Amino acid sequence: NFFKMSSEVEETLKRIQSHRGVKGVLVTNNEGIPIKSNLTQEETDTYSSMITQLNLKADGIIRTLDNSDSLTFMRIRSHNHEIMIAPDDEYTLIVIQNPNSD
């Protein structure tokens, strides 16, 4: 099941990837299946699996607190990584970067 992205989406992903410190960009479908990635296969599989689980848990918490609300963006930062997650109805954009690349 090959997914063809529009040139506009491709250009946006390339622009994100070109930012200093960006290690990887990953797009998954709403089931957590990777569609586009510039990471290794192992990293792609790990991030897509883990982030999908985290998204479900975080969205569940948000909806428990307010049933009319939903998760729109999440940022996780550690000493070595910063992961930004933008879930949508059909796709999730995941950007992994080095927070110390200033």
Side-chain angles (χ1 to χ4, degrees):
N1 191 5
F2 184 72
F3 179 80
K4 183 168 173 51
M5 293 190 160
S6 72
S7 59
E8 184 178 326
V9 172
E10 288 284 352
E11 286 302 313
T12 300
L13 292 176
K14 285 180 186 172
R15 192 175 72 244
I16 292 169
Q17 291 171 10
S18 72
H19 284 269
R20 185 172 51 207
V22 171
K23 175 186 174 190
V25 177
L26 171 62
V27 178
T28 66
N29 68 12
N30 60 3
E31 296 172 350
I33 297 169
I35 296 170
K36 183 82 175 167
S37 176
N38 70 338
L39 299 167
T40 67
Q41 187 63 52
E42 183 179 357
E43 290 173 317
T44 297
D45 293 344
T46 300
Y47 277 107
S48 60
S49 172
M50 296 298 189
I51 297 299
T52 298
Q53 293 175 48
L54 183 61
N55 268 351
L56 291 171
K57 190 70 166 171
D59 194 55
I61 292 168
I62 300 284
R63 289 181 187 277
T64 298
L65 297 172
D66 181 347
N67 197 27
S68 66
D69 207 355
S70 63
L71 181 66
T72 57
F73 189 80
M74 186 168 27
R75 178 179 286 203
I76 303 164
R77 186 174 175 141
S78 68
H79 291 292
N80 299 322
H81 295 95
E82 183 172 37
I83 305 170
M84 293 166 286
I85 306 155
D88 197 42
D89 291 336
E90 293 183 46
Y91 306 105
T92 297
L93 173 64
I94 303 163
V95 178
I96 300 106
Q97 67 181 15
N98 178 344
N100 305 310
S101 64
D102 295 335

